[in-house]
Structure formats: structure tokens, C-alpha cells
Amino acid sequence: MSKSFERYQQRKLISSYFSVVLSIGLVLFLLGILGLLVLNTKKLADHFKEQITISVFLKDNAKQVEIEQLQKSLVMAEYTKAATYVSKEEAAAQHSEDIGENFQDFLGYNPLKNSIDVQLNADFVTPELLEEIAAEITTKGYVEEVSYDKPLIGLLNENVKRISFWILVASSIFTFIAVLLINSSIRLSIYSKRFIIKTMQMVGATKVFIRKPFIWTNIKLGVLGAALAMLALAGVLYYVNENFPELGLMEDPTILAILFSSVFILGLLISLISTYFATQRFLNLRTDELYY
């Protein structure tokens, strides 16, 4: 009978530990996903900004040497990520492919201009800086026009600021909720041992002596939960990197180190602090209050 009871108690204890580890792991995993978004907000925003292209259309009388000089100067400019020369013939072929028919057969000539497509570095994709860049390029006598999507630039910058703000707000709220959830899980596991805590206290054990095994046990559970969360995060990162390599989520080891170390430290700290206050609460209760 005693062995059966011991096995029951052991299963109950393992089940309690498993639920604590799982809850800590799930909460830390969600926090890790939010942390990944926060740490990569600028990178994601920069990725979309660098898809913006400005087209420098050249006059028909522009000399080849002038075009080459302009392209070289654009490539060397601090605001340029890439500058590609597109002849009017290449532009016509691409346009015909896009619309599905040869528009030159209908018009009888090619109305398009030779151009240089410039992709900008993300820091320069703002309405003000683009105006300055366009004005500077337009001063060249052989430049017909500098064209880019002004409404899109304004909308992109506004949305990036708005999304960044709400990601920070959501991260703060979810961090608070995560702390509460982990704290609740640990308090529930300690609640079932409240009579043991009080019994130890009544026979003369000090508070430090009573707290120590609970803190040590829950720190180990926090570490296991953090390890579970980090494994899940690694899986998500691998999947996203395989399917969306252009985002470059695994290119910066510093960001990854900050992310994984933060998840580990959070699991450790929240477990430590929650266990301390949970045991302290039951240590301060009177014996008759343990039944409520």
C-alpha cells in the first residue's frame, strides 16, 4: 500500500513539474518570438525600404561616356545600394513581357528612355532625403527626369513607425502577462506544499533553509523551460530562414546571442523571484490561514 502511495505521489510530483516546465517554456517561447520581432524590426523595415527604386531617365542625346560617369558616381554615392543601367531596348522588352504584347508594333516606335535604376540604402529612404537626391541628380544636363513613387515612400515610413510602436507596446504587455503566468504556475506548485513549509517552520527550520530547496528546484525547472523555449525558437528561425532567406534573420550572431541569452536569463530570474515571494507568502501565513 505504501509503495502504491509513493508511486502516486511521485507521478503527481512529476506531473506538477512537467506542467511548470511546459508553461514556462510556452510563455518564454512567445516572448522569444516577440523579442525576435523587436530586435529585427529595423532589419525588416530596411529590407522593404531597400526594395524602393528611383529611376533616372536620360535624354536621347546623352553620350555614352556621360552615362557611364553618372552610373559610376551613383554607385559611389553613400545613399546607393546598387545602380543598374537599363537601355530603352531592355525596358521595352520587359514592358512587352509584362503586358503580354509588343506595344512597339502598335505605336511604331519605342517611346521609352534609357535609364539608370537606383536602389537606395534604407537610411536614405525618406521623403526629404529623396527630394534632395532627386534634385542633385536632375542638375545634370543630360538627365531628363528622376522618378520614384512619392506616396509609397511616405506611406512606408509612416507604417514602419506605427508598426514599430505597436510591437513595443505588445511586447511590454506580453512580458507583463508572461511574468504573471509563470508566477502563477510556480505559486500553484508551491501551494500544494504549503503544509510541508509550515511544518518545517514549526519544528524550527529557518526561512532561508526552507526556501532553499524550493528555489533550487524551480530554478532548474526554469532552466528546462528556457531550454525548451530556445529549441522551439531555433526551429522557427531555421524554418523562416529556409523559406525567407532574404530577411537574413540568422546573419547577425549578436542579435541571436541577445535573443537566446535573454530567454535563458528571463526563465532563470522569473523562476527565482516568483519562488522567493511564493514561499515567503506561505511562511508568513498563520496555520489557520493555510486552509483558505
Side-chain angles (χ1 to χ4, degrees):
M1 183 70 179
S2 61
K3 288 184 178 180
S4 176
F5 180 73
E6 285 177 7
R7 284 197 298 269
Y8 169 75
Q9 287 292 93
Q10 191 174 15
R11 285 197 301 270
K12 189 176 179 182
L13 188 63
I14 292 171
S15 175
S16 172
Y17 287 164
F18 178 76
S19 63
V20 171
V21 169
L22 189 61
S23 62
I24 291 173
L26 286 172
V27 171
L28 290 177
F29 170 69
L30 291 175
L31 276 180
I33 293 294
L34 281 171
L36 186 65
L37 287 173
V38 170
L39 291 172
N40 286 281
T41 296
K42 187 177 186 305
K43 183 181 285 187
L44 291 171
D46 288 352
H47 170 74
F48 289 110
K49 284 182 177 181
E50 288 176 353
Q51 305 308 306
I52 300 295
T53 301
I54 64 173
S55 296
V56 181
F57 293 104
L58 306 165
K59 293 180 179 178
D60 291 334
N61 60 358
K63 298 175 182 178
Q64 188 62 35
V65 65
E66 292 174 329
I67 295 172
E68 290 175 358
Q69 286 177 349
L70 177 60
Q71 185 178 4
K72 286 179 182 177
S73 65
L74 288 172
V75 168
M76 294 175 64
E78 60 176 343
Y79 52 77
T80 303
K81 182 181 179 183
T84 308
Y85 174 71
V86 181
S87 67
K88 58 194 301 185
E89 290 78 16
E90 291 172 335
Q94 182 62 49
H95 189 61
S96 297
E97 185 179 336
D98 292 340
I99 64 175
E101 60 178 329
N102 192 339
F103 67 95
Q104 294 184 77
D105 293 339
F106 176 75
L107 295 176
Y109 70 102
N110 183 1
L112 302 179
K113 301 282 185 181
N114 295 322
S115 64
I116 298 175
D117 288 342
V118 183
Q119 283 182 282
L120 302 171
N121 289 318
D123 292 339
F124 294 89
V125 183
T126 65
E128 298 77 18
L129 289 175
L130 280 173
E131 284 286 349
E132 293 178 14
I133 292 168
E136 178 188 340
I137 296 173
T138 309
T139 57
K140 309 290 183 183
Y142 46 87
V143 173
E144 178 88 18
E145 179 189 6
V146 177
S147 175
Y148 60 92
D149 195 334
K150 294 182 182 180
L152 178 62
I153 302 297
L155 189 63
L156 180 61
N157 279 279
E158 287 177 14
N159 285 337
V160 165
K161 290 177 183 176
R162 191 180 295 116
I163 291 169
S164 300
F165 171 76
W166 284 112
I167 284 177
L168 287 173
V169 171
S171 299
S172 302
I173 293 170
F174 276 101
T175 301
F176 178 70
I177 293 171
V179 172
L180 290 181
L181 287 172
I182 294 175
N183 182 61
S184 297
S185 297
I186 291 174
R187 284 186 65 180
L188 282 172
S189 70
I190 294 175
Y191 175 80
S192 63
K193 302 177 183 68
R194 65 195 185 282
F195 291 108
I196 297 173
I197 292 172
K198 186 55 66 176
T199 302
M200 291 173 69
Q201 192 176 21
M202 290 174 69
V203 297
T206 63
K207 290 183 178 181
V208 173
F209 181 82
I210 295 169
R211 274 196 300 261
K212 188 176 179 180
F214 288 100
I215 289 175
W216 178 239
T217 298
N218 284 296
I219 282 177
K220 288 191 284 186
L221 296 179
V223 169
L224 285 173
L228 186 67
M230 288 190 289
L231 281 173
L233 271 175
V236 169
L237 276 168
Y238 177 79
Y239 175 80
V240 173
N241 191 62
E242 285 293 308
N243 290 276
F244 306 98
E246 65 274 8
L247 297 178
L249 294 181
M250 298 183 73
E251 289 179 357
D252 193 339
T254 304
I255 288 179
L256 294 178
I258 291 171
L259 178 66
F260 284 96
S261 59
S262 298
V263 169
F264 181 80
I265 292 168
L266 268 175
L268 204 66
L269 284 179
I270 295 174
S271 299
L272 172 63
I273 294 167
S274 298
T275 306
Y276 177 86
F277 284 107
T279 51
Q280 187 67 24
R281 177 176 179 272
F282 294 116
L283 285 168
N284 292 334
L285 287 177
R286 297 194 307 271
T287 304
D288 59 321
E289 292 176 326
L290 295 175
Y291 296 92
Y292 299 100

